[in-house]
Amino acid sequence: MFQQFLYDEGIDAMDWPSHSPDLNPIEHIWDTQAGFFVRVKAILHFTVAYDEDHNICDCLPLKCITKSGQENAYSGGTSQISDLTVCTALCQITDLTCSAAAFTVPALSRLCEATSLPAGPGSAAILDPGLEQGGSISMAAYPSSCDCFVSLPPASLSPTVVFAKNSDRPRMEVQEVVYYGAATYPRGAKVMCTYIEVEQAPRTLAVLLSRPAWLWGAEMGANEMGVCIGNEAVWTKEPVEERDALLGMDLVRLALERAHSAKDAVQVIADLLTQYGQGGSCKEDPEPFMYHNTFLLCDRLEAYVLETAGQYWVAERITEGARNISNQLSVGTSIWQEHPQLRSHARAQGWWNGTEEFNFRTAYSLKTQPVRMEAAKARYKAGQELLEKQKGHITAESMIQLLRNKESGICMDSGGFRTTSSMVCVLPRCPHLPCIHLLTATPDPSRSVFKPFAFCSHVTQVPWVLSPTFGEKDPLRQTPRFQTQVDRRHELYKHHQRALETSEGNENTQQRLQDKQRKMEADNLSLVSNLLSGIETSSPSDLSDLFLLCVEKELTFYQEENN
């Protein structure tokens, strides 16, 4: 429970044995970024021991720095730490030896609220006093998650729907790009998703997926019918479940394989939620990390925001303009469809009085949001503002630049998370023009190349962006899961990261690397522009190798840089 709380609050914890020989304080300072800043003055070090009845016997904070900046040492004993509300709160909610952690004012408030303790002066003692006087919190200080965007005419410059997503995941996680062709299956066939088996559809569509290499589903993707979907983590009043069920990422892939339109995809996900539910750990780690999901779905004509809270869901239809989602409930009263018991459940729980206009966001959002969701509000607002500035002129190029925006936190690398892969899709209203999907397959879009993919009759799977497989020896398939680690890096990932690491500390090398990346990307985007305008009349065989050729060109460049 304690570890899940730290995840929810965006707090990185270090293992701290109950009898550590090293009693030196750990300095842990989050860097300033984007004009939002908070500097943690110190980290509280403590150990907790319990008697047989799990009552607190002793609480030994080793060192902290008070609001005045003076160091105070404590020799132990709960009576000596009454002024440190945070110590008491942590000890009361922890049933195991605790970890050292850095806390923010919202995090401490939640801790104190959970233990019915006042959030007194002591709880702010380890923070920069500027926070109590309106100081702002760095979005870079907390693990954020994904951002999804969609633009429809008249927000788009041309008669196209433009979809974009940054997939923000654990920093060392590898994301691969996988193509699966259309297939047919016999009656009664089953398909094994990440954790559970579900009934297979009689026929599946061809799909392109960008996915964490350890799981079955996808963070984002598209199908041959021009449907695009991305999902986001969200926490609501409905509890998350550790039991094996469908991940939100599984739902993305299942919907893409089965839906001929974005509208159909909404129904596919809703039906699967009813039949199988959502749950299970969303991270390749022994410590479970669970969340519910929101989805942005679109096709050549329209888009939908589908938001869930356990088995309950609500959908908003978008027919024009621009929309974004960022790790929080955003559907208010503009409801297109909903779970049949959505409102009755909210009323039974006391979240809605039944007389006021029903607002899904208000009814199902947590009253006290996790820190990561508070940070998401700023990203959501920043995304709205960036879309508004480009309104009427949104293109694939402008969406790429939006995904590269570090100031807003949309392109992120902090708190153990980073943007591990990115995708932009251009869906022309004209059915005779191809849908083009641009993917990085590497971390950090500001230091990556977007490469185009188009569905056609004979698509070439690109081996350089496929991670190795481990069969039954995969940590996912072991019992218990994730007790070991394997190297999931694909070839493009390895050479991309090596080139970036080699250039570190040398501004000239870094600039030359980025110039070459931008030149390759400009060539890719020029080809896309010609395809969408009808100037380029590539044969189907040329389109089938489009992504392959772009990946090989980029890979060759990195190999030359690394030699």
Side-chain angles (χ1 to χ4, degrees):
M1 180 182 76
F2 182 61
Q3 289 295 331
Q4 183 64 42
F5 175 84
L6 295 181
Y7 276 127
D8 291 346
E9 293 300 340
I11 298 168
D12 276 351
M14 295 184 63
D15 291 334
W16 193 260
S18 58
H19 299 287
S20 172
D22 181 7
L23 303 184
N24 294 322
I26 299 173
E27 299 297 333
H28 195 159
I29 300 174
W30 297 110
D31 293 331
T32 61
Q33 178 178 335
F36 299 89
F37 60 92
V38 57
R39 186 175 297 270
V40 177
K41 302 294 286 189
I43 290 181
L44 178 64
H45 297 176
F46 55 88
T47 58
V48 182
Y50 292 86
D51 63 13
E52 293 180 356
D53 296 322
H54 299 282
N55 295 320
I56 298 175
C57 298
D58 204 6
C59 186
L60 306 173
L62 304 177
K63 182 181 288 188
C64 75
I65 297 181
T66 64
K67 180 177 176 180
S68 64
Q70 299 298 314
E71 290 189 357
N72 288 318
Y74 293 84
S75 60
T78 54
S79 62
Q80 299 184 39
I81 61 163
S82 58
D83 61 319
L84 291 176
T85 307
V86 63
C87 297
T88 311
L90 282 168
C91 293
Q92 288 191 1
I93 69 167
T94 307
D95 58 5
L96 295 172
T97 300
C98 299
S99 303
F103 293 92
T104 65
V105 168
L108 296 181
S109 298
R110 280 200 66 206
L111 277 170
C112 296
E113 180 181 323
T115 54
S116 300
L117 293 171
S123 64
I126 61 171
L127 295 170
D128 194 314
L131 281 177
E132 293 186 307
Q133 302 170 7
S136 54
I137 298 175
S138 171
M139 288 187 294
Y142 314 107
S144 303
S145 200
C146 315
D147 295 276
C148 280
F149 306 88
V150 68
S151 173
L152 297 84
S156 303
L157 178 62
S158 60
T160 58
V161 174
V162 187
F163 169 89
K165 178 182 175 181
N166 269 351
S167 174
D168 300 339
R169 298 282 303 167
R171 197 177 194 283
M172 301 309 295
E173 187 177 83
V174 177
Q175 205 152 140
E176 62 180 351
V177 175
V178 187
Y179 169 81
Y180 291 102
T184 57
Y185 300 90
R187 182 185 298 273
K190 304 284 187 179
V191 57
M192 185 66 194
C193 301
T194 302
Y195 296 124
I196 66 169
E197 195 175 61
V198 303
E199 293 181 12
Q200 181 60 283
R203 183 182 185 278
T204 57
L205 298 166
V207 296
L208 175 71
L209 309 173
S210 183
R211 69 179 188 187
W214 64 272
L215 53 77
W216 182 85
E219 272 279 293
M220 51 199 172
N223 70 20
E224 62 180 300
M225 305 306 295
V227 178
C228 301
I229 308 176
N231 82 305
E232 311 240 344
V234 69
W235 291 265
T236 71
K237 291 176 181 175
E238 285 295 305
V240 295
E241 296 186 62
E242 189 176 341
R243 71 178 179 91
D244 287 351
L246 290 174
L247 297 178
M249 292 171 279
D250 293 336
L251 292 167
V252 169
R253 177 173 173 179
L254 289 166
L256 288 171
E257 289 182 339
R258 302 176 183 203
H260 286 69
S261 68
K263 180 180 177 180
D264 290 346
V266 171
Q267 194 61 52
V268 168
I269 294 176
D271 290 344
L272 289 167
L273 276 176
T274 299
Q275 187 172 1
Y276 299 103
Q278 60 179 321
S281 182
C282 305
K283 184 179 179 183
E284 188 181 17
D285 191 274
E287 192 67 39
F289 179 50
M290 291 85 66
Y291 50 76
H292 292 155
N293 294 268
T294 64
F295 304 86
L296 186 58
L297 315 90
C298 65
D299 55 29
R300 292 177 185 262
L301 301 177
E302 57 189 3
Y304 295 85
V305 172
L306 172 63
E307 300 188 332
T308 71
Q311 65 175 314
Y312 304 99
W313 58 271
V314 66
E316 175 186 340
R317 185 183 180 214
I318 302 136
T319 58
E320 62 180 15
R323 184 72 154 82
N324 63 310
I325 58 175
S326 296
N327 302 117
Q328 58 186 314
L329 299 181
S330 61
V331 177
T333 58
S334 300
I335 296 173
W336 172 69
Q337 283 188 2
E338 63 188 69
H339 186 281
Q341 279 82 52
L342 181 76
R343 302 189 191 207
S344 60
H345 179 70
R347 189 169 184 180
Q349 297 296 319
W351 303 337
W352 177 54
N353 60 20
T355 57
E356 296 177 351
E357 183 180 19
F358 181 75
N359 185 305
F360 175 71
R361 179 179 61 248
T362 301
Y364 280 82
S365 292
L366 290 166
K367 288 185 178 180
T368 305
Q369 298 283 2
V371 172
R372 118 174 354 101
M373 292 182 72
E374 291 292 343
K377 290 181 180 179
R379 291 202 333 275
Y380 177 68
K381 182 179 179 182
Q384 283 183 314
E385 292 172 351
L386 290 167
L387 288 173
E388 183 63 27
K389 286 180 181 179
Q390 294 290 326
K391 192 174 180 179
H393 303 280
I394 296 175
T395 62
E397 290 84 349
S398 61
M399 279 293 199
I400 288 173
Q401 294 310 310
L402 193 159
L403 296 184
R404 285 173 170 157
N405 191 290
K406 290 182 178 290
E407 183 178 358
S408 63
I410 291 170
C411 178
M412 59 86 64
D413 186 351
S414 65
F417 280 55
R418 69 172 168 179
T419 301
T420 56
S421 194
S422 303
M423 183 175 187
V424 172
C425 304
V426 185
L427 317 175
R429 286 279 171 88
C430 175
H432 303 296
L433 294 175
C435 295
I436 304 295
H437 311 282
L438 297 134
L439 305 99
T440 60
T442 53
D444 190 349
S446 70
R447 306 178 77 183
S448 294
V449 178
F450 282 84
K451 300 166 283 292
F453 173 96
F455 285 93
C456 58
S457 56
H458 300 287
V459 172
T460 303
Q461 174 64 64
V462 182
W464 319 121
V465 292
L466 287 180
S467 295
T469 57
F470 301 92
E472 291 304 312
K473 294 183 179 180
D474 195 297
L476 171 65
R477 299 300 171 206
Q478 299 291 301
T479 304
R481 298 185 181 113
F482 308 132
Q483 301 301 303
T484 59
Q485 294 183 337
V486 292
D487 185 357
R488 301 189 188 276
R489 296 175 301 163
H490 51 70
E491 287 301 304
L492 182 63
Y493 181 100
K494 287 191 285 188
H495 288 283
H496 172 266
Q497 293 295 283
R498 192 175 304 158
L500 295 184
E501 291 165 3
T502 302
S503 69
E504 289 295 332
N506 188 320
E507 291 186 7
N508 291 334
T509 302
Q510 285 182 324
Q511 189 60 53
R512 181 171 56 80
L513 178 65
Q514 187 169 77
D515 288 345
K516 182 63 176 179
Q517 287 178 319
R518 293 293 179 269
K519 175 61 169 63
M520 285 189 287
E521 184 174 282
D523 292 343
N524 295 342
L525 291 172
S526 177
L527 175 59
V528 169
S529 178
N530 290 341
L531 286 170
L532 295 175
S533 64
I535 296 175
E536 181 75 30
T537 56
S538 298
S539 66
S541 60
D542 291 337
L543 287 179
S544 69
D545 292 336
L546 180 61
F547 188 60
L548 171 68
L549 295 174
C550 291
V551 169
E552 288 184 339
K553 181 178 180 181
E554 183 181 357
L555 180 61
T556 299
F557 167 64
Y558 295 142
Q559 289 172 330
E560 292 172 352
E561 286 291 304
N562 295 330
N563 290 332

